[in-house]
Amino acid sequence: MRKLGCAVWELTLACNMRCKHCGSSAGSSRLNELSTQECFSLCEELAQANCDMVSLMGGEPFVHPDWHDISWCVKDLGMNLAFVSNGLLVPNIVDKLSRLEPTVVGISLDGIEKTHDSIRRDGSFKVALEAIDMLLKENIQVTVITTISKTNFSDLLKLRSLLKKREVNWQIQIAEPFGNFDRSLAIDVEEYYASAMFIVSENVKNKFNDMPVVGAHCYGYHSHLLPKSKKWKGCTAGISSIGITSDGSIVGCLSMGNNQYIEGNVRERSFVDIWEDSNSFAYNRSFDQSQLGENCKDCFYGLDCKGGCNSVSLHFTGQLHNTPYCMRRIEEEKFDIKPPKKERIKEKIKH
């Protein structure tokens, strides 16, 4: 049986916000979302597939009327539990969360107060901070998730000062042009590289882990200059992680556009059947170098990297395995850094 590390489950598409960068255009629930009993059955199938962690998100997961019962089902079946939330309802349910003992709760924070509220909703910044502090008081691990665009790029240093006062993890990711997000507000490659350098500098400063700062899967890819970037081994969609839409569709990654690349629906086939099917997630499981796009086809690390984050590749270039946000290529093009000799030799042989 294939190892399933994490199932990211869009419990509902309903949301109490209308965020400007929301890829799902969340707000109203989907038509025909899974019933609570169907959710229980899906939990059982995830456990049967030996899923390690179930991360409940939305929309906003805490808007779902039975989020609590579904969460306990995950826990009772022996799986780890996590949440991704905008924080708005957390102050009202923190006692329930404490009893559930989630592995981590992700809280979105997209800038200082004026910026965050302009992206999400008036008053949401103060509530998000309150939610973070209440979770920490209950000894619940918190990861602050910041989605960067031209709107909030300049807030990173101010956010750092704010978060340093709190014992949280900080995940930074880039906004992608789908759903509600305006493509013109996407960061350019120079801003992308600057944000990567910021992440690395913070990791160096925080070597004692008082506030680990990490980049999401949109960061990495075999940099010449940055440490540890050679550990990237390609998109995990359908390899060790999957996404579940609120109406039961199984996708490799919800960020790839959760109505695309659907491998099946749990109302029609069991989750285990979909997961174990040798034809599922073929774009990743059956990857070969011929699938690399124009940005990546000649790269020495193409077979390892697989063209970077498929969500970024798809939404910025229209195809998979073709990320335009590659630190290695940025370094070579912007800073005229030459590849090591072994790579240049390989390129000569290829051509």
Side-chain angles (χ1 to χ4, degrees):
M1 182 172 284
R2 289 180 175 273
K3 174 64 177 175
L4 178 55
C6 183
V8 182
W9 186 349
E10 174 198 84
L11 199 56
T12 179
L13 198 57
C15 190
N16 46 14
M17 292 190 184
R18 299 289 189 277
C19 302
K20 293 179 179 178
H21 58 241
C22 180
S24 300
S25 300
S28 300
S29 57
R30 289 179 186 272
L31 294 175
N32 203 23
E33 292 191 334
L34 295 178
S35 68
T36 301
Q37 190 56 53
E38 286 175 317
C39 289
F40 292 157
S41 297
L42 179 52
C43 288
E44 291 173 354
E45 293 189 45
L46 289 170
Q48 185 182 346
N50 294 320
C51 181
D52 179 52
M53 177 176 288
V54 177
S55 180
L56 299 180
M57 60 175 294
E60 170 58 35
F62 302 129
V63 168
H64 192 290
D66 294 321
W67 72 268
H68 190 236
D69 292 337
I70 296 166
S71 299
W72 271 116
C73 187
V74 171
K75 292 284 290 187
D76 289 343
L77 288 165
M79 295 177 286
N80 291 311
L81 176 67
F83 297 96
V84 178
S85 170
N86 58 38
L88 205 59
L89 297 176
V90 167
N92 300 326
I93 59 169
V94 70
D95 290 342
K96 291 182 177 180
L97 286 173
S98 180
R99 287 190 287 273
L100 279 164
E101 298 182 329
T103 301
V104 63
V105 176
I107 299 292
S108 298
L109 198 64
D110 290 316
I112 57 173
E113 185 169 5
K114 182 179 179 180
T115 308
H116 177 92
D117 285 359
S118 72
I119 292 171
R120 291 182 172 270
R121 132 177 195 178
D122 286 347
S124 61
F125 176 83
K126 290 180 179 177
V127 180
L129 281 187
E130 180 186 3
I132 291 167
D133 290 339
M134 293 180 76
L135 290 167
L136 292 174
K137 187 176 180 181
E138 294 294 326
N139 294 314
I140 297 172
Q141 182 178 350
V142 174
T143 294
V144 170
I145 302 170
T146 300
T147 303
I148 59 171
S149 67
K150 290 186 181 297
T151 302
N152 62 353
F153 180 79
S154 61
D155 279 11
L156 285 177
L157 290 176
K158 295 173 183 176
L159 264 181
R160 179 187 65 184
S161 298
L162 180 73
L163 296 178
K164 284 284 285 185
K165 304 171 185 176
R166 296 166 168 87
E167 294 182 357
V168 297
N169 304 316
W170 188 14
Q171 176 178 301
I172 297 173
Q173 58 195 31
I174 66 173
E176 299 172 32
F178 71 114
N180 293 347
F181 187 62
D182 181 346
R183 179 182 285 266
S184 68
L185 295 176
I187 59 172
D188 58 33
V189 292
E190 287 86 359
E191 291 165 329
Y192 171 81
Y193 196 80
S195 64
M197 295 297 288
F198 172 80
I199 292 167
V200 171
S201 70
E202 287 305 301
N203 276 327
V204 171
K205 291 178 182 178
N206 289 289
K207 61 185 177 180
F208 298 109
N209 290 328
D210 56 325
M211 188 182 77
V213 183
V214 299
H217 282 176
C218 46
Y219 286 95
Y221 324 142
H222 302 273
S223 163
H224 289 283
L225 302 176
L226 303 179
K228 300 181 181 179
S229 67
K230 292 180 175 60
K231 290 185 177 181
W232 171 263
K233 294 298 181 184
C235 174
T236 64
I239 303 295
S240 61
S241 62
I242 53 96
I244 306 169
T245 66
S246 58
D247 59 0
S249 291
I250 304 301
V251 296
C253 171
L254 291 171
S255 294
M256 285 167 61
N258 49 24
N259 290 319
Q260 298 190 77
Y261 299 98
I262 294 172
E263 305 295 337
N265 189 288
V266 296
R267 285 175 168 147
E268 300 163 0
R269 298 172 63 195
S270 74
F271 173 78
V272 174
D273 276 352
I274 297 170
W275 175 246
E276 292 294 332
D277 189 334
S278 60
N279 296 313
S280 292
F281 314 101
Y283 57 87
N284 253 2
R285 292 182 180 179
S286 302
F287 171 83
D288 63 57
Q289 198 155 3
S290 68
Q291 294 172 254
L292 292 172
E294 188 66 28
N295 289 324
C296 305
K297 66 180 183 179
D298 294 325
C299 181
F300 181 82
Y301 289 101
L303 276 174
D304 285 337
C305 179
K306 300 180 182 177
C309 171
N310 271 323
S311 176
V312 171
S313 297
L314 180 64
H315 296 304
F316 281 98
T317 73
Q319 67 180 105
L320 305 177
H321 312 293
N322 190 44
T323 184
Y325 291 93
C326 170
M327 290 192 287
R328 186 176 191 80
R329 188 169 62 252
I330 293 169
E331 289 164 349
E332 292 177 4
E333 293 178 355
K334 300 293 181 183
F335 310 135
D336 197 30
I337 295 175
K338 302 299 182 185
K341 184 177 180 181
K342 65 177 182 178
E343 297 179 30
R344 297 199 299 272
I345 291 172
K346 180 181 177 181
E347 289 305 310
K348 287 181 180 179
I349 292 172
K350 183 187 297 183
H351 297 291

